[in-house]
Amino acid sequence: MMDETAEINYAWGRALFDGLSGAGVRRVVLSPGSRSTPLALAAARHPDLHTQVVLDERGAAFFALGAARAGGAPVALVATSGSAVSEWLPGVTEADLARVPLILLSADRPPELRQCGANQTIDQPGLFGSRSRFSLELPLPERALLPTACRAATQAVAVARWPLPGPVHLNVPLREPLTPGRDGPPLALRAARVSRPLLQPDPGHLNELAGRISGRPGLIVCGPEAGERLPVGAIAELAAACDAPLLADPLSNLRCGPHDRSRVITDYDACLRQSRFCRTAAPEWVLRFGAMPVSKVLGEFLRGLPGGEMILVDPHGRWPDPLQRASDLFQADAAAVARELARRVRPMPGGYLAAWRARATAAAAVVAGRLPAEGRLIRELGARLPPETRLFSGNSLAVRQLDWFLEGRREPLRIFCNRGASGIDGNLATLLGIASDGAAPTVGLIGDLTLAHDIGALAEAAAARAVILVLDNGGGAIFDHLPQSALPEHEALFTTPRRLDLRAAAGAFGLGYRESAPQTLAGDLAWALEHASTTLLHVPIGRARSLEQHRRLWQALAI
C-alpha cells in the first residue's frame, strides 16, 4: 500500500503537468522541498517542459513572473507546504496587478494532518485571496481521478489567460510516501483545446465617439503595457488618422521601433513643466491605451483638465481610471479599437500637433543642455543597446529617469518594469527570469537599494545571462524629489543609505564586475554584453550633485 501511494502521487503529478503542457505551459520554476517531490519529479521528467530550480520561493515567484512576461505564456510555480507557499505572495501580487499568468502548484499535507499541530503545515487553500483568479483544492490522488487532475490543470491555464490574465492557485494535498520507485507508462491524458475570443468594440459606440472627437484637438496617451503588448502599429495608424500627438510612456514600447513615430512625443514630461504651455495645449479629448503613465507631471495635467472627453481602452474588464475622469470605456481588443476608430475619425486642425512639436523641440534642447549624469547614461543606453534588447527598469527613481530621458529610435527595444504594485522587491529576480530563456540580450537598470533589497536573487544569475547596471546614488534618492525631503528624519527613515561593496557582492556570486560612468558606458556596456555570464556594471552617482542638476533642469523647463 505504501508503494502504491507513492506511485499514485507521482502519476497525479504527471497528470497535472500533462494538462499544463497540453494547454501551453512550457516552463516550470520550482523550489526544493519534500512534500512537493512528486510534483518536482513529474515536471523535471516531462519531455515538453523546461524546469528551473530557484532556491528561495519569494525569488522564484518573481523569476517566474519575469519568464512569463518575456515569453508571453503562463509559467508554473511549484513549492512545498508551509511558509514556503506564503513566500510567493509579493510576486503573486505583482502578477495580479500586472496581469501576468502564473500557475501556482502548492504541495500540502493531507486533511488529517491539518489543524492538529503537524509540522510545516499552514492553512494553504485560499491563501492568496483576491490576488488569484481562482483557487482550487484538489482531492487526494486516486487513479480513477487522474483525468480530473489533468482537466483541473487545463482549466487553470485557461483562467490564468482569460478573461483577466493573472495567477491561479491549485493546492495539491499528498500523503506519504512521496518518492516513487519507478516511472510508469504514459498516462495518455489529453488536455482540452481552449480558444479565447477576440473582443470587438461596439460599432455604435465607435461611430458616436468619432463624431464627438473628429476635428477637435486631442491627445493619444499610451501608458505601460497591462497584461499584453500594445498594438503599436494600429495605435500609430490612429494617431496619423487623427493627426494627434501621441504621448508614449517608455513602458508602452511605442518610443522605439520601426512603426510610424512621426507623431510620438517623448519629452511630454519636460513640455508640461511650463504652465503657460499647459494652459494653451489643453486637449478637448484624451484617448488612453495601457495603464496610467509613470509621469506624475502628465498625470496631474490630465487630472486638471477643465473638461472634455477621457476615453479609456481595456480588454480585460478592470476599471483603469485612477483619475476618475472617464467619459468612455471600451472593453475590447485594443488593436480593433484603434483600427476601427481610425476608419471613422477625421483629423484635427494641424496647429495643435504643430504646437506640441514646437514645444517638444524647445524642451528637448533645454534637456540636452542640462542633462544630469543619469540622463547621459540613459541616452547612451538608448543609443548603444542592440536591437530587440530586453531592458528591465527598476522602480522608484530609475523608471522615472527612463521616462524623462529615453529618446525614441527606429531599432526596437522591449522595455519591462514591475508597475503592477510598483515595488522594488523582487526586481533582480524578475530581471533574471526575463533573461533566462536567452532569446535576446537583457539589461537591467536599477538603483542600489533595489539591488540590496533583492540581492539573494543573484544566486540565480548563473542560469541567465544579463547585464545589471546599478545606479548607485547612496540610498533612496527618489525621496529627494518628494515632500519627505523636507522632514528632519528624511535621511534616517526614507533615504536609508546602505554600505554595500558591489565588487565583493559580484565576486561572491561569481559575476563579472566593472565600475563605470556615463562617459565610459559605451565601452563598458560592449564588454558586458560580450561577457559569457551575468555582469554587474556599477555606476556611482553623486546624490547631492545629481539632485542639484535635476533642480536646475526643472527650473529651466518651467520658464
Side-chain angles (χ1 to χ4, degrees), residues 96-97 99 133 163-165 205 226 288-292 310-332 420:
D96 166 33
L97 297 175
R99 308 177 188 185
R133 299 295 173 264
L164 179 63
H205 193 179
R288 199 188 88 218
F289 295 89
M292 270 298 295
M310 188 74 70
I311 307 113
L312 310 179
V313 180
D314 190 294
H316 298 306
R318 276 189 170 161
W319 194 265
D321 185 28
L323 300 180
Q324 302 184 33
R325 294 290 307 271
S327 62
D328 299 79
L329 172 61
F330 284 90
Q331 293 179 326

Side-chain angles (χ1 to χ4, degrees), residues 210-531:
R212 281 191 278 134
I213 69 174
S214 286
R216 298 169 60 196
L219 293 173
I220 298 175
V221 175
C222 291
E225 296 174 349
E228 60 186 33
R229 300 188 71 163
L230 291 179
V232 295
I235 293 173
E237 291 169 11
L238 175 59
C242 298
D243 204 25
L246 200 170
L247 312 190
D249 185 288
L251 304 180
S252 71
N253 286 298
L254 268 89
R255 288 194 187 183
C256 303
H259 55 279
D260 178 10
R261 292 178 292 107
S262 60
R263 293 166 184 82
V264 172
I265 307 292
T266 60
D267 291 298
Y268 51 82
D269 187 281
C271 293
L272 295 172
R273 290 176 184 269
Q274 186 186 74
S275 57
R276 182 173 68 254
F277 178 75
C278 290
R279 291 191 297 270
T280 60
E284 295 184 21
W285 57 267
V286 175
L287 173 58
R288 199 188 88 218
F289 295 89
M292 270 298 295
V294 170
S295 170
K296 184 177 181 179
V297 170
L298 175 57
E300 291 175 345
F301 172 72
L302 297 176
R303 187 190 304 275
L305 292 176
E309 321 287 345
M310 188 74 70
I311 307 113
L312 310 179
V313 180
D314 190 294
H316 298 306
R318 276 189 170 161
W319 194 265
D321 185 28
L323 300 180
Q324 302 184 33
R325 294 290 307 271
S327 62
D328 299 79
L329 172 61
F330 284 90
Q331 293 179 326
D333 177 69
V337 172
R339 291 196 178 100
E340 291 301 314
L341 193 55
R343 292 177 54 241
R344 292 166 166 81
V345 77
R346 299 190 312 276
M348 67 180 68
Y352 187 70
L353 176 59
W356 269 92
R357 282 174 168 161
R359 174 58 188 156
T361 299
V366 173
V367 173
R370 295 171 172 80
L371 270 179
E374 300 95 322
R376 295 198 302 276
L377 183 144
I378 288 169
R379 293 282 167 93
E380 279 289 326
L381 273 183
R384 305 284 182 178
L385 289 177
E388 305 293 347
T389 294
R390 296 165 174 174
L391 175 61
F392 177 84
S393 174
N395 269 307
S396 199
L397 191 54
V399 71
R400 288 165 175 82
Q401 290 172 329
L402 193 71
D403 183 30
W404 296 335
F405 303 122
L406 181 69
E407 297 178 302
R409 67 179 215 177
R410 179 174 176 77
E411 297 80 14
L413 291 176
R414 185 80 197 282
I415 305 176
F416 300 89
C417 183
N418 285 348
R419 291 302 291 176
S422 298
I424 67 169
D425 52 333
N427 279 208
L428 277 179
T430 305
L431 163 65
L432 294 171
I434 290 169
S436 62
D437 64 2
T442 304
V443 176
L445 180 71
I446 64 171
D448 54 305
L449 283 191
T450 297
L451 174 72
H453 199 290
D454 198 28
I455 196 167
L458 292 178
E460 312 307 326
R465 183 181 173 191
V467 177
I468 304 172
L469 202 159
V470 183
L471 298 177
D472 183 359
N473 49 37
I478 182 62
F479 291 105
D480 291 337
H481 299 261
L482 299 176
Q484 288 88 343
S485 62
L487 295 171
E489 299 89 353
H490 168 233
E491 189 85 0
L493 297 183
F494 300 98
T495 306
T496 57
R498 292 288 184 268
R499 294 184 61 84
L500 182 63
D501 186 335
L502 296 189
R503 183 186 295 274
F509 290 102
L511 310 184
Y513 172 89
R514 181 174 288 187
E515 186 170 311
S516 187
Q519 58 270 26
T520 65
L521 181 67
D524 296 336
L525 184 62
W527 166 82
L529 288 169
E530 293 172 0
H531 206 271

